[in-house]
Amino acid sequence: MSTREVVALSVGGMRFVTRAATLQQFPESRLARMLHDGDREFRLLNGEFFVDRDGTLFSYIMDFLRTLQVSLPTDFSDYQRLQREAEFYGLYPLADLLSQEHLQKPRREILEVRFSLQETQAFFRIFGSCSATLETLAEQITVFSGHSWNSPFPAQKPLIPLPLERPSHHDMVFQCGTDYCAGDRFVARYVSIKPDTRKLMNGTNVLGLLLDTLLKDGFRLVSTRTVSSEEKIECYSFERMQRPTGLTIKVNHTPGSSGAAQAKRSQVQKGK
């Protein structure tokens, strides 16, 4: 059969059309041998190969053959079933990768919010075990600054957005409220947290919105404690169990080489 010829497969009631060369990426695989051997599991009916297997999982198999990687969604949990399908089709590099236990276990994510209220200002510091979560949160939070004379409530527009302080990939710092500048000049800082469109200056209100945002994002409040009574620093600890935000599995493979080619894993997730 020519490598330019088109092959149609019906897998579990789902139809797939591909090139023969794609199915021959791993010559030792069952899919490659299917084109020449009389395998009872692959029956040729009306010009299509009929396979009584899971069609949805086979879409990941085809993705792997076409790109030498397979991207799994965040909520994917059928690692063992996909591993069995990879073994059935003789794609052992993929099966070996999917057998790794840590792929199937959700990770525990920790996040801590420190809040300090000092006269007319409130200070926030957020620590997180996953830098990807901090990056996402940093995109949601915007601090705006405004100036005025003889009034702590500047009304002029537009307010100027300020960058968040990022001491490291795992924490961020920002503040809200009012402060004196030179002479009788006031500086006011407002905080907005998407998807809420309000610009809040009161520290207690900002804290409430921040905690509510984290709870809606799947975090669970674990504890509340006072870190320093003198500096009035309160600490709110959160945790959540979460699977990786997406998984991409790749193999080192030269087209036409042995199906036992060396495999390696690559995870598409910041902070790992």
PDB file of all heavy atoms in Angstrom, residues 21-29 32 64-65 68 90-93 251-263:
ATOM      1  N   ALA A  21       0.877   6.466   5.983  1.00  0.00           N
ATOM      2  CA  ALA A  21       2.167   6.818   6.574  1.00  0.00           C
ATOM      3  C   ALA A  21       2.015   7.204   8.041  1.00  0.00           C
ATOM      4  O   ALA A  21       2.911   6.961   8.855  1.00  0.00           O
ATOM      5  CB  ALA A  21       2.814   7.966   5.791  1.00  0.00           C
ATOM      6  N   THR A  22       0.880   7.794   8.396  1.00  0.00           N
ATOM      7  CA  THR A  22       0.648   8.168   9.793  1.00  0.00           C
ATOM      8  C   THR A  22       0.540   6.923  10.661  1.00  0.00           C
ATOM      9  O   THR A  22       1.119   6.859  11.751  1.00  0.00           O
ATOM     10  CB  THR A  22      -0.635   9.011   9.909  1.00  0.00           C
ATOM     11  OG1 THR A  22      -0.493  10.193   9.115  1.00  0.00           O
ATOM     12  CG2 THR A  22      -0.902   9.403  11.350  1.00  0.00           C
ATOM     13  N   LEU A  23      -0.187   5.925  10.171  1.00  0.00           N
ATOM     14  CA  LEU A  23      -0.341   4.687  10.932  1.00  0.00           C
ATOM     15  C   LEU A  23       0.961   3.892  11.008  1.00  0.00           C
ATOM     16  O   LEU A  23       1.117   3.034  11.877  1.00  0.00           O
ATOM     17  CB  LEU A  23      -1.432   3.822  10.293  1.00  0.00           C
ATOM     18  CG  LEU A  23      -2.838   4.441  10.251  1.00  0.00           C
ATOM     19  CD1 LEU A  23      -3.789   3.520   9.506  1.00  0.00           C
ATOM     20  CD2 LEU A  23      -3.356   4.715  11.659  1.00  0.00           C
ATOM     21  N   GLN A  24       1.893   4.199  10.113  1.00  0.00           N
ATOM     22  CA  GLN A  24       3.166   3.475  10.074  1.00  0.00           C
ATOM     23  C   GLN A  24       4.288   4.209  10.801  1.00  0.00           C
ATOM     24  O   GLN A  24       5.456   3.861  10.651  1.00  0.00           O
ATOM     25  CB  GLN A  24       3.565   3.230   8.610  1.00  0.00           C
ATOM     26  CG  GLN A  24       2.619   2.278   7.887  1.00  0.00           C
ATOM     27  CD  GLN A  24       2.883   2.188   6.398  1.00  0.00           C
ATOM     28  OE1 GLN A  24       3.332   3.160   5.781  1.00  0.00           O
ATOM     29  NE2 GLN A  24       2.604   1.035   5.812  1.00  0.00           N
ATOM     30  N   GLN A  25       3.940   5.220  11.597  1.00  0.00           N
ATOM     31  CA  GLN A  25       4.955   5.963  12.349  1.00  0.00           C
ATOM     32  C   GLN A  25       5.797   5.015  13.201  1.00  0.00           C
ATOM     33  O   GLN A  25       7.001   5.188  13.339  1.00  0.00           O
ATOM     34  CB  GLN A  25       4.287   7.013  13.250  1.00  0.00           C
ATOM     35  CG  GLN A  25       3.829   8.269  12.539  1.00  0.00           C
ATOM     36  CD  GLN A  25       4.969   9.257  12.363  1.00  0.00           C
ATOM     37  OE1 GLN A  25       6.137   8.913  12.478  1.00  0.00           O
ATOM     38  NE2 GLN A  25       4.619  10.490  12.066  1.00  0.00           N
ATOM     39  N   PHE A  26       5.137   4.026  13.800  1.00  0.00           N
ATOM     40  CA  PHE A  26       5.832   3.031  14.626  1.00  0.00           C
ATOM     41  C   PHE A  26       5.658   1.676  13.936  1.00  0.00           C
ATOM     42  O   PHE A  26       4.630   1.003  14.111  1.00  0.00           O
ATOM     43  CB  PHE A  26       5.250   3.004  16.044  1.00  0.00           C
ATOM     44  CG  PHE A  26       5.517   4.259  16.825  1.00  0.00           C
ATOM     45  CD1 PHE A  26       4.706   5.374  16.657  1.00  0.00           C
ATOM     46  CD2 PHE A  26       6.589   4.335  17.700  1.00  0.00           C
ATOM     47  CE1 PHE A  26       4.946   6.536  17.362  1.00  0.00           C
ATOM     48  CE2 PHE A  26       6.837   5.494  18.411  1.00  0.00           C
ATOM     49  CZ  PHE A  26       6.019   6.604  18.238  1.00  0.00           C
ATOM     50  N   PRO A  27       6.633   1.261  13.136  1.00  0.00           N
ATOM     51  CA  PRO A  27       6.500   0.041  12.312  1.00  0.00           C
ATOM     52  C   PRO A  27       6.145  -1.210  13.097  1.00  0.00           C
ATOM     53  O   PRO A  27       5.517  -2.113  12.552  1.00  0.00           O
ATOM     54  CB  PRO A  27       7.880  -0.080  11.652  1.00  0.00           C
ATOM     55  CG  PRO A  27       8.409   1.318  11.639  1.00  0.00           C
ATOM     56  CD  PRO A  27       7.926   1.937  12.917  1.00  0.00           C
ATOM     57  N   GLU A  28       6.560  -1.270  14.374  1.00  0.00           N
ATOM     58  CA  GLU A  28       6.292  -2.462  15.167  1.00  0.00           C
ATOM     59  C   GLU A  28       4.905  -2.443  15.802  1.00  0.00           C
ATOM     60  O   GLU A  28       4.492  -3.427  16.427  1.00  0.00           O
ATOM     61  CB  GLU A  28       7.350  -2.615  16.253  1.00  0.00           C
ATOM     62  CG  GLU A  28       8.763  -2.836  15.697  1.00  0.00           C
ATOM     63  CD  GLU A  28       9.797  -2.940  16.798  1.00  0.00           C
ATOM     64  OE1 GLU A  28       9.404  -2.894  17.985  1.00  0.00           O
ATOM     65  OE2 GLU A  28      10.986  -3.055  16.480  1.00  0.00           O
ATOM     66  N   SER A  29       4.189  -1.358  15.646  1.00  0.00           N
ATOM     67  CA  SER A  29       2.882  -1.256  16.276  1.00  0.00           C
ATOM     68  C   SER A  29       1.848  -2.091  15.521  1.00  0.00           C
ATOM     69  O   SER A  29       2.019  -2.427  14.347  1.00  0.00           O
ATOM     70  CB  SER A  29       2.422   0.202  16.326  1.00  0.00           C
ATOM     71  OG  SER A  29       2.069   0.656  15.033  1.00  0.00           O
ATOM     72  N   ALA A  32       0.430  -0.312  12.419  1.00  0.00           N
ATOM     73  CA  ALA A  32       1.255  -0.369  11.211  1.00  0.00           C
ATOM     74  C   ALA A  32       1.118  -1.733  10.539  1.00  0.00           C
ATOM     75  O   ALA A  32       0.990  -1.827   9.309  1.00  0.00           O
ATOM     76  CB  ALA A  32       2.717  -0.092  11.566  1.00  0.00           C
ATOM     77  N   PHE A  64      -1.545  11.436  18.826  1.00  0.00           N
ATOM     78  CA  PHE A  64      -0.176  11.019  19.120  1.00  0.00           C
ATOM     79  C   PHE A  64       0.563  10.607  17.845  1.00  0.00           C
ATOM     80  O   PHE A  64       1.718  10.986  17.625  1.00  0.00           O
ATOM     81  CB  PHE A  64      -0.217   9.854  20.113  1.00  0.00           C
ATOM     82  CG  PHE A  64       1.120   9.226  20.377  1.00  0.00           C
ATOM     83  CD1 PHE A  64       2.106   9.904  21.070  1.00  0.00           C
ATOM     84  CD2 PHE A  64       1.394   7.950  19.919  1.00  0.00           C
ATOM     85  CE1 PHE A  64       3.343   9.326  21.313  1.00  0.00           C
ATOM     86  CE2 PHE A  64       2.624   7.361  20.152  1.00  0.00           C
ATOM     87  CZ  PHE A  64       3.598   8.051  20.850  1.00  0.00           C
ATOM     88  N   LEU A  65      -0.085   9.851  16.976  1.00  0.00           N
ATOM     89  CA  LEU A  65       0.561   9.403  15.745  1.00  0.00           C
ATOM     90  C   LEU A  65       0.845  10.562  14.795  1.00  0.00           C
ATOM     91  O   LEU A  65       1.839  10.563  14.071  1.00  0.00           O
ATOM     92  CB  LEU A  65      -0.322   8.367  15.043  1.00  0.00           C
ATOM     93  CG  LEU A  65      -0.442   7.010  15.732  1.00  0.00           C
ATOM     94  CD1 LEU A  65      -1.464   6.139  15.015  1.00  0.00           C
ATOM     95  CD2 LEU A  65       0.910   6.308  15.781  1.00  0.00           C
ATOM     96  N   LEU A  68       3.310  13.091  17.383  1.00  0.00           N
ATOM     97  CA  LEU A  68       4.240  12.497  18.339  1.00  0.00           C
ATOM     98  C   LEU A  68       4.077  13.088  19.728  1.00  0.00           C
ATOM     99  O   LEU A  68       5.002  13.103  20.532  1.00  0.00           O
ATOM    100  CB  LEU A  68       5.693  12.650  17.862  1.00  0.00           C
ATOM    101  CG  LEU A  68       6.031  11.905  16.570  1.00  0.00           C
ATOM    102  CD1 LEU A  68       7.506  12.066  16.232  1.00  0.00           C
ATOM    103  CD2 LEU A  68       5.664  10.430  16.679  1.00  0.00           C
ATOM    104  N   GLY A  90      -0.184  -1.435  20.358  1.00  0.00           N
ATOM    105  CA  GLY A  90       1.257  -1.672  20.268  1.00  0.00           C
ATOM    106  C   GLY A  90       2.090  -0.413  20.334  1.00  0.00           C
ATOM    107  O   GLY A  90       3.246  -0.420  19.899  1.00  0.00           O
ATOM    108  N   LEU A  91       1.558   0.660  20.902  1.00  0.00           N
ATOM    109  CA  LEU A  91       2.294   1.921  21.046  1.00  0.00           C
ATOM    110  C   LEU A  91       2.866   1.970  22.462  1.00  0.00           C
ATOM    111  O   LEU A  91       2.398   2.703  23.337  1.00  0.00           O
ATOM    112  CB  LEU A  91       1.359   3.104  20.780  1.00  0.00           C
ATOM    113  CG  LEU A  91       0.772   3.147  19.358  1.00  0.00           C
ATOM    114  CD1 LEU A  91      -0.312   4.210  19.254  1.00  0.00           C
ATOM    115  CD2 LEU A  91       1.878   3.404  18.335  1.00  0.00           C
ATOM    116  N   TYR A  92       3.932   1.204  22.676  1.00  0.00           N
ATOM    117  CA  TYR A  92       4.460   1.014  24.025  1.00  0.00           C
ATOM    118  C   TYR A  92       5.169   2.240  24.602  1.00  0.00           C
ATOM    119  O   TYR A  92       5.136   2.445  25.830  1.00  0.00           O
ATOM    120  CB  TYR A  92       5.368  -0.215  24.049  1.00  0.00           C
ATOM    121  CG  TYR A  92       4.586  -1.472  23.734  1.00  0.00           C
ATOM    122  CD1 TYR A  92       4.753  -2.140  22.520  1.00  0.00           C
ATOM    123  CD2 TYR A  92       3.644  -1.977  24.639  1.00  0.00           C
ATOM    124  CE1 TYR A  92       4.006  -3.276  22.223  1.00  0.00           C
ATOM    125  CE2 TYR A  92       2.906  -3.106  24.346  1.00  0.00           C
ATOM    126  CZ  TYR A  92       3.090  -3.751  23.139  1.00  0.00           C
ATOM    127  OH  TYR A  92       2.336  -4.870  22.840  1.00  0.00           O
ATOM    128  N   PRO A  93       5.818   3.104  23.801  1.00  0.00           N
ATOM    129  CA  PRO A  93       6.380   4.329  24.397  1.00  0.00           C
ATOM    130  C   PRO A  93       5.304   5.184  25.063  1.00  0.00           C
ATOM    131  O   PRO A  93       5.507   5.708  26.146  1.00  0.00           O
ATOM    132  CB  PRO A  93       7.011   5.048  23.200  1.00  0.00           C
ATOM    133  CG  PRO A  93       7.355   3.945  22.245  1.00  0.00           C
ATOM    134  CD  PRO A  93       6.242   2.954  22.389  1.00  0.00           C
ATOM    135  N   VAL A 251       7.347  12.029  22.624  1.00  0.00           N
ATOM    136  CA  VAL A 251       8.370  10.990  22.553  1.00  0.00           C
ATOM    137  C   VAL A 251       9.440  11.417  21.567  1.00  0.00           C
ATOM    138  O   VAL A 251       9.170  12.124  20.597  1.00  0.00           O
ATOM    139  CB  VAL A 251       7.796   9.624  22.120  1.00  0.00           C
ATOM    140  CG1 VAL A 251       6.806   9.117  23.133  1.00  0.00           C
ATOM    141  CG2 VAL A 251       7.192   9.693  20.739  1.00  0.00           C
ATOM    142  N   ASN A 252      10.673  11.028  21.862  1.00  0.00           N
ATOM    143  CA  ASN A 252      11.755  11.190  20.902  1.00  0.00           C
ATOM    144  C   ASN A 252      11.648  10.060  19.905  1.00  0.00           C
ATOM    145  O   ASN A 252      11.781   8.888  20.250  1.00  0.00           O
ATOM    146  CB  ASN A 252      13.121  11.125  21.610  1.00  0.00           C
ATOM    147  CG  ASN A 252      13.373  12.356  22.445  1.00  0.00           C
ATOM    148  OD1 ASN A 252      12.816  13.418  22.188  1.00  0.00           O
ATOM    149  ND2 ASN A 252      14.210  12.223  23.463  1.00  0.00           N
ATOM    150  N   HIS A 253      11.402  10.409  18.662  1.00  0.00           N
ATOM    151  CA  HIS A 253      11.146   9.348  17.686  1.00  0.00           C
ATOM    152  C   HIS A 253      11.449   9.856  16.288  1.00  0.00           C
ATOM    153  O   HIS A 253      11.027  10.943  15.904  1.00  0.00           O
ATOM    154  CB  HIS A 253       9.683   8.910  17.775  1.00  0.00           C
ATOM    155  CG  HIS A 253       9.265   7.948  16.705  1.00  0.00           C
ATOM    156  ND1 HIS A 253       9.776   6.669  16.621  1.00  0.00           N
ATOM    157  CD2 HIS A 253       8.387   8.083  15.685  1.00  0.00           C
ATOM    158  CE1 HIS A 253       9.209   6.054  15.589  1.00  0.00           C
ATOM    159  NE2 HIS A 253       8.372   6.894  15.000  1.00  0.00           N
ATOM    160  N   THR A 254      12.194   9.070  15.545  1.00  0.00           N
ATOM    161  CA  THR A 254      12.439   9.363  14.141  1.00  0.00           C
ATOM    162  C   THR A 254      11.471   8.566  13.303  1.00  0.00           C
ATOM    163  O   THR A 254      11.377   7.344  13.477  1.00  0.00           O
ATOM    164  CB  THR A 254      13.878   8.985  13.739  1.00  0.00           C
ATOM    165  OG1 THR A 254      14.776   9.712  14.568  1.00  0.00           O
ATOM    166  CG2 THR A 254      14.136   9.325  12.284  1.00  0.00           C
ATOM    167  N   PRO A 255      10.679   9.214  12.423  1.00  0.00           N
ATOM    168  CA  PRO A 255       9.689   8.475  11.629  1.00  0.00           C
ATOM    169  C   PRO A 255      10.297   7.245  10.971  1.00  0.00           C
ATOM    170  O   PRO A 255      11.357   7.307  10.357  1.00  0.00           O
ATOM    171  CB  PRO A 255       9.249   9.507  10.589  1.00  0.00           C
ATOM    172  CG  PRO A 255       9.427  10.821  11.290  1.00  0.00           C
ATOM    173  CD  PRO A 255      10.671  10.645  12.117  1.00  0.00           C
ATOM    174  N   GLY A 256       9.604   6.132  11.165  1.00  0.00           N
ATOM    175  CA  GLY A 256      10.073   4.892  10.572  1.00  0.00           C
ATOM    176  C   GLY A 256      10.996   4.104  11.474  1.00  0.00           C
ATOM    177  O   GLY A 256      11.389   2.998  11.146  1.00  0.00           O
ATOM    178  N   SER A 257      11.374   4.665  12.642  1.00  0.00           N
ATOM    179  CA  SER A 257      12.268   3.955  13.550  1.00  0.00           C
ATOM    180  C   SER A 257      11.472   3.007  14.410  1.00  0.00           C
ATOM    181  O   SER A 257      10.248   2.947  14.357  1.00  0.00           O
ATOM    182  CB  SER A 257      13.029   4.944  14.436  1.00  0.00           C
ATOM    183  OG  SER A 257      12.132   5.626  15.294  1.00  0.00           O
ATOM    184  N   SER A 258      12.160   2.277  15.270  1.00  0.00           N
ATOM    185  CA  SER A 258      11.509   1.274  16.099  1.00  0.00           C
ATOM    186  C   SER A 258      10.526   1.896  17.063  1.00  0.00           C
ATOM    187  O   SER A 258      10.729   2.982  17.563  1.00  0.00           O
ATOM    188  CB  SER A 258      12.573   0.501  16.890  1.00  0.00           C
ATOM    189  OG  SER A 258      11.968  -0.302  17.866  1.00  0.00           O
ATOM    190  N   GLY A 259       9.452   1.166  17.336  1.00  0.00           N
ATOM    191  CA  GLY A 259       8.463   1.634  18.293  1.00  0.00           C
ATOM    192  C   GLY A 259       8.995   1.649  19.703  1.00  0.00           C
ATOM    193  O   GLY A 259       8.349   2.154  20.611  1.00  0.00           O
ATOM    194  N   ALA A 260      10.184   1.091  19.919  1.00  0.00           N
ATOM    195  CA  ALA A 260      10.782   1.109  21.250  1.00  0.00           C
ATOM    196  C   ALA A 260      11.674   2.317  21.431  1.00  0.00           C
ATOM    197  O   ALA A 260      12.562   2.342  22.265  1.00  0.00           O
ATOM    198  CB  ALA A 260      11.598  -0.169  21.470  1.00  0.00           C
ATOM    199  N   ALA A 261      11.440   3.343  20.614  1.00  0.00           N
ATOM    200  CA  ALA A 261      12.250   4.562  20.700  1.00  0.00           C
ATOM    201  C   ALA A 261      12.170   5.157  22.085  1.00  0.00           C
ATOM    202  O   ALA A 261      11.201   4.993  22.801  1.00  0.00           O
ATOM    203  CB  ALA A 261      11.748   5.587  19.675  1.00  0.00           C
ATOM    204  N   GLN A 262      13.240   5.868  22.461  1.00  0.00           N
ATOM    205  CA  GLN A 262      13.293   6.456  23.794  1.00  0.00           C
ATOM    206  C   GLN A 262      12.161   7.461  23.970  1.00  0.00           C
ATOM    207  O   GLN A 262      11.858   8.229  23.078  1.00  0.00           O
ATOM    208  CB  GLN A 262      14.640   7.167  23.987  1.00  0.00           C
ATOM    209  CG  GLN A 262      14.801   7.810  25.362  1.00  0.00           C
ATOM    210  CD  GLN A 262      16.086   8.593  25.464  1.00  0.00           C
ATOM    211  OE1 GLN A 262      16.796   8.724  24.475  1.00  0.00           O
ATOM    212  NE2 GLN A 262      16.375   9.104  26.641  1.00  0.00           N
ATOM    213  N   ALA A 263      11.541   7.416  25.146  1.00  0.00           N
ATOM    214  CA  ALA A 263      10.412   8.319  25.417  1.00  0.00           C
ATOM    215  C   ALA A 263      10.759   9.274  26.535  1.00  0.00           C
ATOM    216  O   ALA A 263      11.585   8.992  27.397  1.00  0.00           O
ATOM    217  CB  ALA A 263       9.189   7.497  25.809  1.00  0.00           C
TER     218      ALA A 263
END
